[in-house]
Amino acid sequence: MYAAGSRGHSPAFLQPQNGNGHRSPGYVPGKVVPLRPPPPPKNHASAKLTSTSQEAPTTFAFSPEEQQTPREDRKQQRHKNTFICFAITSFSFFVALAVILGISSKYAPDENCPDQNPRLRNWDPGQDSAKHVVIKEGDMFRLTSDATVDSIVIQDGGLLVFGDAEDGSRNVTLRTRYILIQDGGALHIGAEKCRYRSKATITLYGKSDEGESMPTFGKKFIGVEAGGTLELHGARRTSWTMLARTLHSSGLPFGSYTFEKDFSRGLNVRVIDQDTARVLENEKFDTHEYHNESRRLQEFLRAQDPGRIIAIAVGDSAVKSLLQGTIQMIQDRLGSKLIQGLGYRQAWALVGVIDGGSSSCNESVRNYENHSTGGKALAQGEFYTLEGQKFSVTAYSEWIEGISLSGFRVEIADGVKLHLLDDVSSWEAGDRIVVASTDYSMYQAEEFTLLPCSECSRFQVKVKETPQFLHVGEIIDGIDMRAEVGILTRNVVIQGEMETSCYAENQCQFFDFDTFGGHVMIEKNFTSVHLSYVEMKHMGQQHLGRYPVHFHLCGDVDSKGGYRHPASVDGLSIHHSFSRCITVHGTNGLLIKDTIGFDTLGHCFFLEDGVEQRNILFHNLGLLTKPGTLLPTDRNSSMCTIMRDGVFGNYVPVPTTDCMAVSTFWIAHPNNHLISNAAAGSQDAGIWYLFHKEPTGESTGLQLLEKPELTPLGIFYNNRVHSNFKAGLFVDKGVKTTNSSASDPREYLCLDNSARFRPHQDADPEKPRVAAVIDRLIAFKNNDNGAWVRGGDIIVQNSAFADNGKGLTFASDGSFPSDEGSSQEVSESLFVGESKNYGSQGGQNKYMGTGGIDQKPRTLPRNRTFPIRGFQIYDGPIHLTKSTFKKYMPTPDRYSSAIGFLMKNSWQTTPRNNVSLVKFGPQVSLNVFFGKPGPWFEDCELDGDKNSIFHDVDGSVTGYKDAYVGRMDNYLIRHPNCINVTKWNAVVCSGTYAQVYVQTWNTPNLSMIITRDEYPSHPMVLRGINQRAISPQYQPVVMLEKGYTIHWTGPAPRITFLYLVNFNKDDWIRVGLCYPSNTSFQVTFGFLQRQNGSLSRMEDYEPAQSMEELQRKPSERKFYFDSGTGAHSHRDGHSYCSSQGCERVKIQAATDSKDISNCMAKAYPQYYRKPSAVKRMPAMLVGLCQGCGTHQMVFTSDPHKSYLPVRFQSPGKAETQRGEPSVISVNGTDFTFRSAGVLLLVVDACRVPFRLTEKKMFLPADVSQMEEYLKTSIPPRSIVLLSTRGEMKQMNISDSLVLLGLVKPAHLHSKDGIVFLGFSGNFKPSWTKLFTSPAEQGLGVLEQYVPLQMEDYECPRAGSVHRRDLELLQQASKVL
């Protein structure tokens, strides 16, 4: 059945996709109720409302208009001049009725609008909290007014729609304990093609300790069962964007200013820069007591430049010695009319402008009587900065009960203007927004209320509150650090009604506020669920399963599950909530898009059981993710140790290993897609990928065809992580999948370290590896790790790291011999140690210190002494290539290195780690650092510390090609020609290197001593990976083709295994092991199968009669035992790990001796060899490294846009006298000038790559011509770059700079350094800037990144923008 649409098409009525087939009448999955529904059922049942005091249902009658049946066919009239007869069919009646309803509703009906369905009846249940409402078959209601009921059940074809108004004037609030949408029921507020215009609010009320709890859903909920429909669609608006200009603390670039003091006698004066609101000078002139002070004030005012703002306030008294000349100066230069008659102890205040006349002067005077002035003499003026920010300057003076007070304030006025990256014209006055932190503390995120702003462009808003923290709005050092800005307000609201404080069993020991909010829960086989542009606040409960949005065991919700219109969540604002944001539980194929999660408890975007796949998270923002109590991984330290109901016995959880993992994005299966998301502040991690050994929770027992830790990674593209404490991105670990027990007392689902990510084709370990690609990650201002990535194969590319404790750490996927030998690579990436994002105190920022680059104060990660590292090597093998490092400079307090190693590392480090094509900026002091004893490094004596090493493939790190870099005191890897680099604590050597893996049985607390025959006086003592383990493991790095002896700090082990790791064919070493002289041996060779731990091709070693025999027959499996020294040697030239297994030698020793087995005194000098180099040390490279470093100059979160890097070098007078040039660098091309004057560059804003259209130099004699040139000769759609050298006294270009983007003419008097970025065109972009410095100071180095080809530039023939993110979204949406 169908009804022809008024636009000539036929709405299709689809067959049921899920559930048992019941649908609300006329409902089409993915489409709103059409205007012309199928014929109505014969019986119209009314809504059933059941009072709590009555069990019998009560029927509520509706108005006669609602009960009226069609009579038009009996009332037809014939036209008196015609004989044409016709009849009205039921179908034509509905057409007519639709027209009538359209007219009566004051706007044309729209078949896409659910509230315009002609079969709807207006419904007003009133205010009765005892009513239980059942909306069932035949009940099709339009809610048009506020209502309160106990509960609503919608079932069997029942339909509830919120009424709307074309002008958005309707405001409907529904209060209820719950809404349950059962099979065939539907709830609509707007539709995707007819968004709700008015304000609709559903308030879920009730306390946790009152009323009945519904099965499955509990209390205070909207629930959707099988066959139910939930369609909520608010007005579309830009969900979140980023700052386009930095938002300063207080709203002013140099901060606000407040001063007050008592008895500061005389005239207190402040000089304020009219362009920046900066207080330039702070002076006090005691004109009461001293004439010289009056003269000094006169000269002070005479020296001020025109346009400067002057604030004056009397302290105590100021007139006794105030000279007439000074009075005249104040009158002439500031326009004062009150200074002439100022009397003894009169309070006087003035705010004026130098040479601005009386019209710019505001002043006030109060008489002194009885030790009081009866109020303040208050003067105030309002001004604008060059960026258009309005500010006020206030001066005041008064006497209060014999105490003289005077003071000043410089502060914003009438709100703070924000400059944003995207069109936010959909945002309105009164809306609430949040601006993310751009510092280490997530608690620097701030909420603001929008003010009306008629002067704002579509990229600007004005906020009411004053910012407390700095929020960066720039690309800094090539990395996008612009703060995210999200709008919290929506016109469709679902909210929990809250108590004023915590109560009952709601974890009140941890929270002092009510955490029992509302929740939305969707069950499997729903008919249709689409939520878009809905605000959810005070949602979620600190109880399992009660989350703001919860898709509960829904299975496939895309086309794979039979949904023609896959379920989606789009544009939601979830804030100030009490348990997560969106939970995807046993659900696949869900699209979560443009959604904000702000100020929530527990994991925010949460994939729960480790079975969820193919879900797409696209352009979502999460920030201020706080700890919760539900799972161990949600908890902070105190919650972890206090909540012990789930542990066995008296076990006390260890917070750092069991808990403390709360994350904004908790991704429990790798086969999900993350595209263009922002994790902007979590107590622990921004994005955490973890790997379940088996399904957990309600998915326990589900048989997965593919193990998560073997499954290839879904799409990871263009995500950003910052302001997180533990890590921005964390790829590692799993959760405990067994209940607590005596053998493992830890709680179920606590953090577990057993899982390792090793993706293979089809998740089959016998098939080839599939590299997981992390593409375009931006990580900055994370306290500990920008990213911690364990597993393999993994590739990180096109990524940027700045201001992290450690930028990127790679850790291998397992441990030898079970490790298959995966690898990790980072390429085309940028690492910045200390950027120009200096941060600001506040929030949880505990540490301030001095920067290593410019000695300016800045916030610090972890601690004032914490050693900063850009790329950290744990074990390997890793490959670092085509990457650039900038700004790693140590300070007296801390080390800072581009490349470093995991501190206090008891594990191994492989010589297969290699570095190539890397570039170090001039402000990198330590290319690499191997640590030194002291804070954080402790004694540097663990096994991994001693064996740290990597291969400098091309010499881009050390200057020596094909060299290895290790710790300076490691004599296992040295030869006489190695180069020591003392400040790195490193040695650079040629050679080839591998590892020996040694394992002993039943020897706890046994240390191994390994000595190279060439350096017997420099043995290496290895404690073992776990010194207390029953079977210790040791893994030294060794130079090949050398001999070694192994000794012990206790009795010799009875069973020892030796594996040769990373040996290639024909590689060899000679190893002697120390045993007592009366020892007998069995030496066995075999291949260890890594997958199952079995051995194959086993054979015994035969004893040789002499060392000479052993060396003559290297291909034979023999060993020689020298009973005189106790050394046991073996050699095999073909031992290497292959796909068939790792070759293993097992030594079984039989001896009764319990003596310490150390043969050093007997082995040497007998086995001593003269040190030599197996491989010649290369010559040091000269010249620049060709092709080194990343080719990308800027890393942004909008990679579809092109940015032009611009760099200015503006030296001061001293630097100029030393011959330093002035430079404008455009996209890496330097334009240098050394003579005084002005360099002007004009760049086409519409060309990529950039095109320089004009280069012009104005000498000091010609600068007067610049004004006309700038006004008339700059082509439209041009970027203007200007830089001066020397003082330009005759340059008057202030007015012309307004034409190029400034808000007002700038003060350019007495400026030695001027740098300007402007735009010629009809658009005023946010990036236009003017920088000035006082005479002789210069501006130093300034970097800016200017967007090209912006739509608002009005570029001709602008090509289509390539959106890789949208391509990947489309790709991810296709179900294979």
Side-chain angles (χ1 to χ4, degrees):
M1 178 179 290
Y2 69 90
S6 61
R7 296 184 178 89
H9 63 274
S10 303
F13 288 83
L14 305 180
Q15 292 298 317
Q17 299 170 343
N18 289 283
N20 63 10
H22 290 291
R23 297 290 183 268
S24 56
Y27 177 71
V28 182
K31 188 177 176 68
V32 301
V33 177
L35 176 64
R36 303 175 184 83
K42 294 180 180 179
N43 296 323
H44 291 273
S46 301
K48 298 275 180 90
L49 308 177
T50 305
S51 171
T52 55
S53 61
Q54 298 176 343
E55 295 184 2
T58 302
T59 302
F60 288 78
F62 294 89
S63 67
E65 290 77 12
E66 293 175 312
Q67 296 176 329
Q68 183 178 352
T69 57
R71 297 185 177 89
E72 272 68 57
D73 55 329
R74 297 194 298 272
K75 297 180 180 179
Q76 296 299 316
Q77 298 179 1
R78 294 188 181 90
H79 193 285
K80 62 181 179 179
N81 294 320
T82 67
F83 298 94
I84 299 173
C85 300
F86 62 94
I88 300 291
T89 66
S90 61
F91 174 76
S92 61
F93 159 71
F94 284 115
V95 173
L97 182 58
V99 173
I100 293 169
L101 288 175
I103 295 172
S104 65
S105 63
K106 299 182 181 180
Y107 60 99
D110 187 338
E111 67 177 5
N112 292 306
C113 298
D115 71 308
Q116 296 181 44
N117 186 336
R119 296 181 60 200
L120 293 173
R121 291 177 291 179
N122 290 342
W123 180 53
D124 179 10
Q127 304 291 325
D128 187 348
S129 59
K131 288 181 182 177
H132 296 269
V133 178
V134 178
I135 302 175
K136 57 187 184 60
E137 183 177 4
D139 296 335
M140 303 178 69
F141 298 142
R142 181 193 297 111
L143 182 64
T144 57
S145 59
D146 293 351
T148 297
V149 297
D150 181 88
S151 61
I152 299 175
V153 176
I154 312 173
Q155 60 184 213
D156 299 331
L159 173 63
L160 176 61
V161 178
F162 273 55
D164 199 359
E166 184 180 23
D167 61 0
S169 60
R170 193 180 296 277
N171 190 338
V172 179
T173 298
L174 172 63
R175 291 181 70 250
T176 180
R177 293 184 182 275
Y178 66 82
I179 301 174
L180 179 59
I181 307 170
Q182 296 181 324
D183 197 359
L187 171 62
H188 288 266
I189 304 178
E192 186 175 356
K193 295 183 179 180
C194 180
R195 298 193 167 273
Y196 196 77
R197 302 175 182 88
S198 303
K199 180 69 179 290
T201 303
I202 298 176
T203 299
L204 301 168
Y205 70 88
K207 297 176 65 175
S208 63
D209 56 355
E210 67 180 21
E212 296 183 5
S213 180
M214 295 293 291
T216 304
F217 297 97
K219 301 176 181 179
K220 215 168 176 179
F221 66 86
I222 297 176
V224 183
E225 292 185 345
T229 293
L230 180 62
E231 295 284 331
L232 307 179
H233 301 276
R236 187 181 295 278
R237 48 180 36 195
T238 299
S239 181
W240 64 277
T241 180
M242 294 191 291
L243 287 178
R245 183 178 286 174
T246 294
L247 176 62
H248 296 277
S249 169
S250 82
L252 296 170
F254 293 96
S256 59
Y257 177 83
T258 301
F259 174 89
E260 182 175 272
K261 191 172 182 180
D262 57 357
F263 294 109
S264 182
R265 191 174 64 190
L267 291 178
N268 299 280
V269 181
R270 301 294 183 269
V271 181
I272 299 100
D273 184 355
Q274 66 270 38
D275 292 342
T276 64
R278 184 180 188 180
V279 176
L280 300 175
E281 296 186 72
N282 173 356
E283 291 285 349
K284 181 173 77 72
F285 302 89
D286 188 354
T287 55
H288 174 81
E289 188 70 23
Y290 306 106
H291 289 108
N292 282 341
E293 285 289 277
S294 181
R295 297 185 186 97
R296 189 169 70 89
L297 172 59
Q298 186 175 346
E299 292 306 312
F300 178 84
L301 292 175
R302 191 192 314 278
Q304 297 302 319
D305 291 333
R308 287 285 188 235
I309 302 168
I310 305 295
I312 304 176
V314 170
D316 193 347
S317 184
V319 297
K320 178 182 174 183
S321 299
L322 186 63
L323 301 175
Q324 184 60 39
T326 306
I327 293 173
Q328 190 65 45
M329 179 67 69
I330 294 173
Q331 290 175 327
D332 292 345
R333 298 218 72 181
L334 294 174
S336 172
K337 295 180 179 179
L338 301 178
I339 185 65
Q340 182 65 60
L342 191 63
Y344 174 69
R345 286 192 169 179
Q346 277 188 319
W348 174 68
L350 174 145
V351 173
V353 176
I354 293 290
D355 297 341
S358 59
S359 63
S360 65
C361 177
N362 182 269
E363 56 184 333
S364 173
V365 66
R366 304 282 294 198
N367 291 326
Y368 175 79
E369 296 177 2
N370 299 321
H371 307 292
S372 179
T373 54
K376 290 181 180 179
L378 182 71
Q380 188 174 68
E382 293 185 338
F383 310 90
Y384 286 89
T385 68
L386 289 178
E387 296 180 344
Q389 177 61 55
K390 189 176 182 181
F391 67 96
S392 67
V393 176
T394 303
Y396 60 90
S397 172
E398 68 176 324
W399 282 86
I400 302 175
E401 297 180 354
I403 298 175
S404 170
L405 290 176
S406 60
F408 303 91
R409 292 194 304 273
V410 180
E411 57 195 349
I412 59 164
D414 299 335
V416 181
K417 189 177 290 185
L418 275 59
H419 299 256
L420 303 172
L421 193 62
D422 296 299
D423 183 346
V424 291
S425 54
S426 59
W427 297 6
E428 300 174 349
D431 287 347
R432 295 285 291 173
I433 66 170
V434 59
V435 181
S437 168
T438 52
D439 207 348
Y440 295 109
S441 173
M442 68 175 181
Y443 289 97
Q444 289 190 7
E446 297 188 74
E447 292 181 67
F448 300 99
T449 305
L450 298 190
L451 292 172
C453 185
S454 59
E455 73 275 16
C456 287
S457 75
R458 60 195 178 101
F459 299 100
Q460 297 171 334
V461 294
K462 187 186 287 184
V463 299
K464 177 182 179 182
E465 297 80 6
T466 301
Q468 301 301 305
F469 306 108
L470 173 75
H471 301 272
V472 170
E474 301 175 50
I475 300 166
I476 297 179
D477 292 307
I479 299 177
D480 193 344
M481 300 190 194
R482 296 173 290 193
E484 299 84 359
V485 183
I487 184 161
L488 303 176
T489 306
R490 303 288 188 272
N491 67 317
V492 175
V493 180
I494 302 175
Q495 64 184 9
E497 189 172 278
M498 309 307 296
E499 301 299 312
T500 57
S501 61
C502 190
Y503 64 93
E505 302 299 321
N506 290 311
Q507 305 295 351
C508 297
Q509 70 270 41
F510 304 118
F511 308 107
D512 59 4
F513 51 88
D514 182 5
T515 61
F516 194 75
H519 70 102
V520 176
M521 186 174 184
I522 300 108
E523 290 204 295
K524 187 175 184 178
N525 291 329
F526 57 83
T527 292
S528 182
V529 172
H530 299 91
L531 311 178
S532 65
Y533 298 92
V534 177
E535 179 181 353
M536 294 182 155
K537 65 180 178 181
H538 300 154
M539 299 290 283
Q541 302 163 7
Q542 283 295 296
H543 299 278
L544 285 172
R546 308 296 181 244
Y547 316 122
V549 179
H550 181 192
F551 283 82
H552 178 66
L553 303 175
C554 293
D556 298 319
V557 297
D558 52 6
S559 59
K560 190 172 182 179
Y563 288 90
R564 180 177 171 184
H565 302 278
S568 64
V569 172
D570 183 9
L572 267 58
S573 164
I574 304 170
H575 63 94
H576 299 95
S577 293
F578 311 117
S579 184
R580 318 209 184 289
C581 302
I582 297 177
T583 294
V584 182
H585 183 193
T587 298
N588 309 312
L590 178 66
L591 172 62
I592 304 172
K593 178 174 174 283
D594 284 328
T595 290
I596 299 172
F598 167 60
D599 197 358
T600 58
L601 304 179
H603 305 303
C604 181
F605 297 94
F606 179 58
L607 277 60
E608 187 162 351
D609 283 349
V611 299
E612 299 80 11
Q613 300 188 56
R614 301 191 327 279
N615 299 289
I616 305 169
L617 292 100
F618 182 86
H619 198 252
N620 301 291
L621 167 63
L623 63 167
L624 204 58
T625 306
K626 301 175 181 178
T629 63
L630 297 188
L631 298 178
T633 54
D634 288 313
R635 299 169 191 159
N636 62 18
S637 178
S638 61
M639 295 172 181
C640 188
T641 54
I642 292 173
M643 300 182 70
R644 295 167 55 186
D645 290 345
V647 304
F648 184 87
N650 295 321
Y651 174 73
V652 178
V654 181
T656 55
T657 57
D658 293 359
C659 308
M660 296 178 66
V662 65
S663 304
T664 301
F665 294 87
W666 182 261
I667 312 300
H669 196 288
N671 185 26
N672 291 283
H673 310 292
L674 273 70
I675 305 169
S676 298
N677 299 287
S682 171
Q683 186 64 40
D684 290 309
I687 302 173
W688 193 314
Y689 282 91
L690 70 156
F691 309 93
H692 288 225
K693 286 289 187 181
E694 58 187 58
T696 59
E698 295 189 54
S699 300
T700 300
L702 185 66
Q703 296 299 314
L704 285 177
L705 298 177
E706 301 173 345
K707 289 186 176 181
E709 58 188 332
L710 296 174
T711 303
L713 186 70
I715 298 168
F716 186 103
Y717 177 77
N718 192 37
N719 297 292
R720 51 192 277 129
V721 291
H722 63 88
S723 309
N724 302 288
F725 191 86
K726 179 178 288 186
L729 171 67
F730 203 90
V731 182
D732 196 3
K733 302 185 183 293
V735 292
K736 184 172 179 281
T737 58
T738 58
N739 291 323
S740 59
S741 62
S743 59
D744 187 348
R746 297 175 302 154
E747 185 174 350
Y748 179 59
L749 297 181
C750 74
L751 206 59
D752 188 73
N753 199 33
S754 62
R756 294 292 183 268
F757 185 38
R758 48 189 196 282
H760 287 259
Q761 180 181 327
D762 300 327
D764 185 346
E766 299 300 325
K767 291 185 178 180
R769 287 182 179 267
V770 177
V773 178
I774 296 170
D775 193 10
R776 304 202 70 86
L777 171 70
I778 292 177
F780 67 93
K781 291 288 183 179
N782 297 288
N783 264 281
D784 198 353
N785 294 279
W788 170 284
V789 179
R790 185 192 291 275
D793 294 348
I794 296 177
I795 297 172
V796 176
Q797 63 187 26
N798 305 312
S799 297
F801 306 85
D803 297 320
N804 305 291
K806 295 158 286 186
L808 170 63
T809 300
F810 273 158
S812 67
D813 78 343
S815 59
F816 184 86
S818 59
D819 187 353
E820 301 172 50
S822 63
S823 65
Q824 301 162 317
E825 176 180 291
V826 57
S827 65
E828 285 294 347
S829 295
L830 174 62
F831 297 82
V832 178
E834 292 182 350
S835 77
K836 288 189 176 181
N837 178 357
Y838 297 103
S840 57
Q841 285 185 301
Q844 286 187 332
N845 284 350
K846 297 180 180 178
Y847 303 106
M848 293 287 292
T850 301
I853 307 300
D854 51 17
Q855 286 74 54
K856 290 184 178 180
R858 62 184 301 119
T859 54
L860 297 173
R862 296 293 300 273
N863 188 286
R864 182 175 52 83
T865 62
F866 185 76
I868 295 170
R869 283 144 287 164
F871 179 71
Q872 177 174 261
I873 302 170
Y874 183 175
D875 40 17
I878 61 91
H879 182 203
L880 168 64
T881 186
K882 294 181 181 177
S883 295
T884 299
F885 295 86
K886 296 180 181 179
K887 299 188 175 181
Y888 289 89
M889 294 287 286
T891 72
D893 293 325
R894 65 183 176 277
Y895 295 103
S896 180
S897 64
I899 301 172
F901 294 83
L902 183 76
M903 299 181 297
K904 296 176 286 188
N905 179 15
S906 62
W907 193 236
Q908 59 89 24
T909 307
T910 173
R912 297 302 184 195
N913 294 325
N914 66 85
V915 181
S916 64
L917 296 173
V918 294
K919 181 179 180 180
F920 302 93
Q923 294 174 317
V924 175
S925 175
L926 299 177
N927 292 6
V928 61
F929 186 57
F930 284 81
K932 287 184 177 179
W936 299 97
F937 295 100
E938 294 185 358
D939 61 4
C940 278
E941 287 296 307
L942 297 180
D943 293 6
D945 300 332
K946 296 178 178 180
N947 285 281
S948 299
I949 191 170
F950 67 88
H951 184 195
D952 185 5
V953 177
D954 57 357
S956 56
V957 178
T958 64
Y960 296 93
K961 186 177 181 180
D962 192 24
Y964 286 78
V965 191
R967 207 168 87 167
M968 196 161 61
D969 59 355
N970 184 354
Y971 281 80
L972 300 184
I973 64 173
R974 296 182 70 106
H975 59 71
N977 299 326
C978 293
I979 306 296
N980 288 337
V981 186
T982 304
K983 71 175 184 177
W984 298 356
N985 192 26
V987 63
V988 182
C989 297
S990 59
T992 53
Y993 298 86
Q995 293 158 279
V996 179
Y997 177 92
V998 181
Q999 184 176 30
T1000 61
W1001 279 14
N1002 298 318
T1003 56
N1005 300 309
L1006 180 68
S1007 293
M1008 184 182 87
I1009 304 168
I1010 181 169
T1011 305
R1012 203 166 100 199
D1013 293 345
E1014 296 173 337
Y1015 296 102
S1017 60
H1018 296 281
M1020 178 181 287
V1021 179
L1022 300 177
R1023 304 176 185 177
I1025 293 168
N1026 184 349
Q1027 197 168 18
R1028 294 185 297 271
I1030 297 299
S1031 300
Q1033 305 167 49
Y1034 317 89
Q1035 203 161 331
V1037 174
V1038 294
M1039 179 182 283
L1040 295 174
E1041 302 183 29
K1042 298 292 183 180
Y1044 303 84
T1045 59
I1046 292 176
H1047 314 266
W1048 311 97
T1049 59
R1054 301 306 187 255
I1055 297 178
T1056 304
F1057 298 95
L1058 285 85
Y1059 300 83
L1060 304 185
V1061 184
N1062 291 317
F1063 276 60
N1064 295 321
K1065 187 175 181 180
D1066 297 329
D1067 288 346
W1068 63 270
I1069 59 171
R1070 182 177 61 249
V1071 181
L1073 290 92
C1074 181
Y1075 286 93
S1077 58
N1078 62 349
T1079 306
S1080 60
F1081 302 96
Q1082 181 181 2
V1083 183
T1084 308
F1085 170 83
F1087 279 93
L1088 176 70
Q1089 303 302 316
R1090 291 187 299 266
Q1091 293 299 327
N1092 55 26
S1094 64
L1095 288 169
S1096 62
R1097 296 174 56 186
M1098 296 182 63
E1099 55 184 288
D1100 290 335
Y1101 273 65
E1102 298 294 331
Q1105 299 304 310
S1106 66
M1107 181 68 75
E1108 290 73 17
E1109 179 187 351
L1110 185 70
Q1111 293 177 332
R1112 285 197 311 270
K1113 302 177 180 180
S1115 62
E1116 297 183 10
R1117 304 199 186 280
K1118 293 181 178 291
F1119 71 91
Y1120 169 69
F1121 179 59
D1122 185 341
S1123 60
T1125 61
H1128 161 229
S1129 298
H1130 78 271
R1131 174 180 173 188
D1132 190 331
H1134 300 285
S1135 275
Y1136 63 96
C1137 280
S1138 67
S1139 59
Q1140 292 160 19
C1142 287
E1143 294 166 296
R1144 187 193 78 171
V1145 176
K1146 178 181 180 181
I1147 302 169
Q1148 293 176 280
T1151 179
D1152 295 330
S1153 174
K1154 295 183 179 180
D1155 295 336
I1156 294 174
S1157 188
N1158 189 327
C1159 309
M1160 291 284 292
K1162 295 181 179 179
Y1164 302 104
Q1166 180 175 347
Y1167 289 103
Y1168 171 76
R1169 298 291 184 270
K1170 182 179 179 181
S1172 63
V1174 175
K1175 196 172 184 179
R1176 184 177 178 181
M1177 190 71 189
M1180 189 171 187
L1181 299 171
V1182 294
L1184 296 175
C1185 181
Q1186 298 300 317
C1188 288
T1190 175
H1191 78 279
Q1192 302 175 61
M1193 301 185 71
V1194 58
F1195 294 78
T1196 71
S1197 294
D1198 47 4
H1200 55 280
K1201 295 181 181 178
S1202 297
Y1203 286 85
L1204 181 68
V1206 178
R1207 182 174 179 270
F1208 298 89
Q1209 184 175 326
S1210 174
K1213 184 176 181 179
E1215 293 87 356
T1216 301
Q1217 291 174 345
R1218 290 197 299 265
E1220 292 187 18
S1222 298
V1223 182
I1224 302 179
S1225 177
V1226 183
N1227 203 39
T1229 301
D1230 289 346
F1231 299 89
T1232 302
F1233 60 112
R1234 297 178 182 274
S1235 58
V1238 182
L1239 177 62
L1240 179 71
L1241 302 179
V1242 181
V1243 177
D1244 188 344
C1246 296
R1247 287 285 298 272
V1248 177
F1250 88 99
R1251 181 171 70 94
L1252 184 70
T1253 60
E1254 184 70 47
K1255 174 187 175 186
K1256 196 169 182 64
M1257 184 74 190
F1258 292 88
L1259 298 177
D1262 304 324
V1263 294
S1264 59
Q1265 304 171 16
M1266 282 189 63
E1267 179 85 7
E1268 184 66 20
Y1269 182 86
L1270 292 173
K1271 287 182 177 180
T1272 62
S1273 301
I1274 307 296
R1277 296 179 292 277
S1278 292
I1279 297 166
V1280 179
L1281 309 174
L1282 181 151
S1283 180
T1284 68
R1285 184 178 177 89
E1287 188 174 357
M1288 300 290 106
K1289 295 184 179 180
Q1290 303 301 318
M1291 188 171 69
N1292 185 19
I1293 60 171
S1294 296
D1295 291 337
S1296 57
L1297 297 187
V1298 174
L1299 299 176
L1300 298 174
L1302 292 188
V1303 171
K1304 66 171 192 175
H1307 174 74
L1308 298 178
H1309 296 281
S1310 304
K1311 301 297 184 184
D1312 197 31
I1314 298 174
V1315 163
F1316 175 68
L1317 295 88
F1319 177 76
S1320 175
N1322 298 322
F1323 177 61
K1324 287 187 178 291
S1326 61
W1327 52 261
T1328 56
K1329 290 184 180 179
L1330 176 71
F1331 301 91
T1332 63
S1333 68
E1336 303 185 359
Q1337 289 189 16
L1339 289 163
V1341 175
L1342 302 171
E1343 289 184 340
Q1344 299 292 316
Y1345 297 85
V1346 181
L1348 298 173
Q1349 292 184 330
M1350 287 180 64
E1351 178 183 348
D1352 294 278
Y1353 294 168
E1354 300 177 350
C1355 296
R1357 300 183 301 278
S1360 60
V1361 177
H1362 178 230
R1363 292 291 300 267
R1364 176 66 174 158
D1365 55 343
L1366 298 181
E1367 291 177 356
L1368 291 172
L1369 174 61
Q1370 185 177 12
Q1371 174 185 325
S1373 300
K1374 294 178 180 178
V1375 179
L1376 302 180

